[in-house]
Amino acid sequence: VEQGDAPRLTALMEPLHPADIADLLEQLDQGPRHRLIALYGREFDGEILSELDDSIREDVIGALAPDVLTDAVRELESDDVVDLLEYLDEPTQEAILEVLEASDRVAVERAMAWPDQSAGRLMQREVVTAPERWTVGDAIDHLRASDDLPDQFYHVVLVDPRHRPVGHVTLGKLMAADRVTPLADLVEPSFRTIPATQDEEDVAYAFNQYHLISAPVVDDAGRLVGVITIDDAMIVMNEENEEDLLLLAGVGDESIADRTLQIARQRFPWLLVNLGTAILASVVISQFDEVLAALVALAVLMPIVASMGGNAATQSMTVAVRGLATRDLTGNNALRVLRREVVAAGINGAVFAVIMGVIGTIWFGLPMLGVVLGAAMVINLLVAGLAGVLVPLTLDRLGIDPALASGAFVTTVTDVVGFFAFLGLAAIVLL
Amino acid sequence: VEQGDAPRLTALMEPLHPADIADLLEQLDQGPRHRLIALYGREFDGEILSELDDSIREDVIGALAPDVLTDAVRELESDDVVDLLEYLDEPTQEAILEVLEASDRVAVERAMAWPDQSAGRLMQREVVTAPERWTVGDAIDHLRASDDLPDQFYHVVLVDPRHRPVGHVTLGKLMAADRVTPLADLVEPSFRTIPATQDEEDVAYAFNQYHLISAPVVDDAGRLVGVITIDDAMIVMNEENEEDLLLLAGVGDESIADRTLQIARQRFPWLLVNLGTAILASVVISQFDEVLAALVALAVLMPIVASMGGNAATQSMTVAVRGLATRDLTGNNALRVLRREVVAAGINGAVFAVIMGVIGTIWFGLPMLGVVLGAAMVINLLVAGLAGVLVPLTLDRLGIDPALASGAFVTTVTDVVGFFAFLGLAAIVLL
């Protein structure tokens, strides 16, 4: 396909959704990607830009011919342009703002005035409103008379004389009701407004928790400034979930389209932190070099204690981090969750202590080695349960994303405690 | 509040959304939870049951008085009842089916005939349809004449004479258009149908990828059987993301409301697998007991090599597992991603080899020990990048959820390779 046959390429790409074309561009290397864009030429749709991953969006914009870019951007709704601009550098932002028509540019610039990742950035500005005293008939006549209704809308928002939203009516109810019914009789019980400065993560939480379909956005004075719909909230929720997953694994904001050097550079700091904690664990081990020299079996078995503690801690920690993200773990039940994690870890610790005690005894023929191994296992799993909950909770209290930093702290604790408990007990009991 | 003052409790709970009441019940211990339910009594709303986590739903249903349960279940729409039944045991299912009215019971039983976690289970059966040849006026008159429109609907689905969906029109467009406009002129370009047997994970993917708001569900013959709306897809997506996050950490389907013994039992198998892999690593170490006895510094440093490998592997693996879940990692770019991960791991490996080489040399005054440490580091990080991508890809090919089993495999590989490379090189070079 890539042999310069532009009409054939266009024919092949025609049935594809912009999101699929964006995925295709993300999967290509830079060279073929630019050739494809050049060939595709004027057919390039603005929505493809919206669908692209941040990491290659700038690259694609740079590869577009200026007139193609102008057409593509002008096709987009103003909230999509805002979304597009958010992750671009200044010069590219300016270039795009310049090609917009004046009215769109004002709308976009006003949206960009809201904080990063806030409801104000996420919302669309076009809202269908009706005065709160109108009847169904008034609203329908008004809708049929307007000629620039938004592409997608699901509710008519009722506003008071000061343009503050007081309720909303679904289009379905509007359709089904008598013309004389007051709109105020049809409002949805699930109505909620969202402050424009609210973080988009909290917006996504509200949509998911209360099954909202759309919600009006208000400024500090409570006046209607826009509306957020569930499809935008779904995208945010998916991104936040992805972020937590990657952060917990020590991967930053990374995508499958990133280049090798970028990847290596982004992962380096996490590995460096891990190196620091690993060296700390080694320092603990080095305190016991005489014990190790006297009994090599200790060196053979000690990674088991550390590894089991690390695993148990990761389990507790992940449940705690997820609980914090979904607000299922709160100040009210923190103590109960902590107690439960520690007791559960203690139960498993006791079981594994017996298993390992037996294995250690048989393997090296030293019953006391088995006892030491079992005791260290119980201690380390208890500490794992404790640290797995306390570390994320503490980070959250300090205003740090618990997904970001919990892993390093928690495994440091279990490594250090594991080696110290095992080798320390061995030094006392076996020598 | 819990001192038996029912009117006061009811007054306090009144302003709460059912989802918040469900969260409250999840956060309580079983004793207080039952007392609260008994006090709350007849006010108990069916929607609270829908919002409850699976883990305590059965407990709450058991605690409800029979007449309260009957009222609560009868209030629900049939798709919510299906959702409720999905995770209950047989006797509880039967008990709930019995209290339903006959027509609802048939609807629920028909939905339960679709496979677990399929689109058929997720959909609601009530769809607003119109023959494809109707005009806007026909549709509006029909809507206004019907008296049992669904609570929430966003599209009118056009069907052919054999009841196969051919397109859909948003209510907004219907409102704005002239009465004489044919409905067929207003259909949305984003229209897609969903097979009833499709897995709900794929349904959520389609909604997210193509920004669907609602999509008709069809049976094998292409006939319309129901509709899925974006709010249901959002819930599924959130659950799938949560499942991946927990599985990667070696935690099964677990919630903050689970009890201690349940938790301990659920986590046990994962820890047991980890114990197996840790013992495997110990067996590798035990092959080098003479080397370790000769040079205790090796025992001090060897956890660093294993830990760095494990971390790098977790990074690559998490990116790969997420890529598979979002379909960004496919057969087409697998080789490119693999190459990139290995090269990125190699670059970081080289940097850390130098750092650790220097630290090892200074710490123990043995330059050759530093060289061995650095070389083992490079080898293990390369293997980490390789295993981090290959293991999830292979599991995915075999039809196993890569989030489920990748972790254990990958860290086994890096532990074994790390210890073997470090101690093996040391045996050759230093003795």
Side-chain angles (χ1 to χ4, degrees), chain A residues 17 19-20 23 26-29 51 140 143-144 149 152-154 171-172 174-179 188 204 208-211 213 230-231 233-235 237-238 241-242 245-246 248-251 254-256 258 260 263-264 267-268 270-272 274-275 278-279 282-283 285-286 289 292-293 296 299-300 302-304 307-308 311-312 314-316 318-319 322 327-330 332-333 336-337 339-341 343-344 348 351-352 355-356 359 363 419, chain B residues 17 19-20 23 26-29 51 140 143-144 149 152-154 171-172 174-179 188 192 204-205 208-211 213 230-231 233-235 237-238 241-242 245-246 248-251 254-256 258 260 263-264 267-268 270-272 274-275 278-279 282-283 285-286 289 292-293 296 299-300 302-304 307-308 311-312 314-316 318-319 322 327-328 330 332-333 336-337 340-341 343-344 348 351-352 355-356 359 363:
Chain A
H17 188 280
D20 291 327
D23 283 350
E26 283 164 22
Q27 294 198 358
L28 290 173
D29 271 328
E51 301 285 351
I140 290 180
L143 285 176
R144 303 188 65 84
L149 292 176
Q152 302 265 2
F153 70 106
Y154 316 106
L171 293 183
L174 203 59
M175 286 271 180
D178 270 336
R179 285 187 60 92
E188 292 293 299
N208 193 44
Q209 173 83 346
Y210 304 116
H211 310 303
I213 299 299
I230 185 174
D231 49 328
M234 186 171 180
I235 293 169
M237 199 185 64
N238 201 24
N241 283 336
E242 173 158 345
L245 178 79
L246 293 179
L248 272 175
V251 183
E254 179 178 309
S255 99
I256 216 92
D258 281 350
T260 309
I263 297 256
R267 295 196 191 159
F268 182 83
W270 306 87
L271 291 172
L272 192 64
N274 184 59
L275 181 63
I279 290 177
S282 289
V283 170
I285 299 173
S286 72
D289 51 358
L292 282 167
V296 174
V300 172
M302 71 184 182
I304 298 181
S307 159
M308 292 297 283
N311 251 265
T314 304
Q315 291 179 331
S316 298
T318 306
V319 170
R322 179 68 187 171
R327 329 242 166 131
D328 287 329
L329 175 57
T330 62
N332 295 325
N333 62 352
R336 225 184 75 227
V337 170
R339 201 181 55 212
R340 191 195 60 182
E341 289 291 332
V343 175
N348 279 332
V351 177
F352 283 111
I355 298 175
M356 278 317 296
I359 293 179
W363 192 349
F419 291 130
Chain B
H17 188 281
D20 292 328
D23 283 350
E26 282 163 24
Q27 294 197 358
L28 290 173
D29 270 328
E51 301 285 350
I140 291 181
L143 285 176
R144 302 187 67 82
L149 291 176
Q152 303 264 0
F153 70 106
Y154 315 107
L171 294 182
L174 203 60
M175 286 269 178
D178 270 335
R179 284 187 60 93
E188 291 294 300
R192 265 160 207 271
Y205 171 79
N208 194 43
Q209 173 83 344
Y210 304 116
H211 310 303
I213 299 300
I230 183 175
D231 50 328
M234 185 169 179
I235 293 170
M237 199 185 65
N238 201 24
N241 283 338
E242 172 158 342
L245 178 79
L246 294 180
L248 272 175
V251 183
E254 178 178 310
S255 100
I256 217 93
D258 282 350
T260 308
I263 297 255
R267 295 196 191 160
F268 182 81
W270 306 86
L271 291 172
L272 192 65
N274 183 60
L275 180 63
I279 290 177
S282 289
V283 171
I285 299 173
S286 71
D289 52 357
L292 282 167
V296 173
V300 172
M302 68 183 186
I304 299 181
S307 158
M308 292 296 283
N311 251 266
T314 304
Q315 292 179 331
S316 299
T318 305
V319 171
R322 179 67 187 171
R327 331 249 162 126
D328 287 330
T330 62
N332 296 324
N333 64 351
R336 225 185 76 228
V337 170
R340 192 195 61 182
E341 289 292 331
V343 175
N348 278 333
V351 177
F352 283 111
I355 298 176
M356 277 317 297
I359 293 179
W363 192 348

Side-chain angles (χ1 to χ4, degrees), chain A residues 31-320:
Chain A
R33 191 192 300 146
H34 287 188
R35 265 176 283 138
L36 191 149
I37 292 170
L39 265 181
Y40 199 40
R42 301 204 59 85
E43 303 290 325
F44 198 93
D45 194 271
E47 276 181 53
I48 303 174
L49 285 180
S50 296
E51 301 285 351
L52 277 177
D53 192 272
D54 313 329
S55 56
I56 64 159
R57 199 181 274 161
E58 236 161 288
D59 175 67
V60 170
I61 288 177
L64 287 174
D67 56 330
V68 177
L69 178 64
T70 307
D71 283 358
V73 171
R74 282 195 181 165
E75 278 167 25
L76 290 174
E77 306 227 343
S78 66
D79 60 322
D80 290 329
V81 178
V82 173
D83 188 42
L84 199 66
L85 290 181
E86 199 147 25
Y87 297 98
L88 295 178
D89 57 20
E90 287 274 332
T92 324
Q93 284 192 3
E94 303 267 327
I96 287 184
L97 279 174
E98 257 168 48
V99 304
L100 286 176
E101 283 154 42
S103 65
D104 282 342
R105 185 159 59 232
V106 172
V108 169
E109 282 170 345
R110 210 174 291 164
M112 296 293 284
W114 294 109
D116 245 18
Q117 315 215 310
S118 66
R121 291 280 183 99
L122 199 62
M123 72 189 182
Q124 58 189 67
R125 306 178 59 80
E126 300 82 15
V127 195
V128 180
T129 59
E132 54 184 329
R133 302 192 178 283
W134 274 12
T135 63
V136 168
D138 296 334
I140 290 180
D141 293 344
H142 171 73
L143 285 176
R144 303 188 65 84
S146 10
D147 54 357
D148 63 338
L149 292 176
D151 249 20
Q152 302 265 2
F153 70 106
Y154 316 106
H155 293 100
V156 173
V157 179
L158 302 193
V159 291
D160 69 10
R162 303 179 60 178
H163 211 61
R164 288 181 304 211
V166 294
H168 64 186
V169 176
T170 67
L171 293 183
K173 290 241 171 86
L174 203 59
M175 286 271 180
D178 270 336
R179 285 187 60 92
V180 295
T181 314
L183 289 179
D185 289 0
L186 300 176
V187 294
E188 292 293 299
S190 66
F191 179 74
R192 266 160 207 270
T193 61
I194 289 175
T197 51
Q198 192 171 61
D199 190 87
E200 59 178 19
E201 188 177 350
D202 298 326
V203 174
Y205 171 79
F207 269 82
N208 193 44
Q209 173 83 346
Y210 304 116
H211 310 303
L212 307 179
I213 299 299
S214 80
V217 180
V218 294
D219 65 13
D220 292 341
R223 277 185 309 260
L224 184 69
V225 289
V227 66
I228 293 178
T229 48
I230 185 174
D231 49 328
D232 295 319
M234 186 171 180
I235 293 169
V236 171
M237 199 185 64
N238 201 24
E239 282 171 0
E240 295 288 340
N241 283 336
E242 173 158 345
E243 200 183 286
D244 278 358
L245 178 79
L246 293 179
L247 279 181
L248 272 175
V251 183
D253 184 19
E254 179 178 309
S255 99
I256 216 92
D258 281 350
R259 316 187 57 189
T260 309
L261 258 177
Q262 256 175 305
I263 297 256
R265 206 176 328 117
Q266 278 175 348
R267 295 196 191 159
F268 182 83
W270 306 87
L271 291 172
L272 192 64
V273 170
N274 184 59
L275 181 63
T277 73
I279 290 177
L280 194 64
S282 289
V283 170
V284 172
I285 299 173
S286 72
Q287 305 307 308
F288 297 96
D289 51 358
E290 286 169 32
V291 194
L292 282 167
L295 192 58
V296 174
L298 296 176
V300 172
L301 295 174
M302 71 184 182
I304 298 181
V305 178
S307 159
M308 292 297 283
N311 251 265
T314 304
Q315 291 179 331
S316 298
M317 177 189 77
T318 306
V319 170

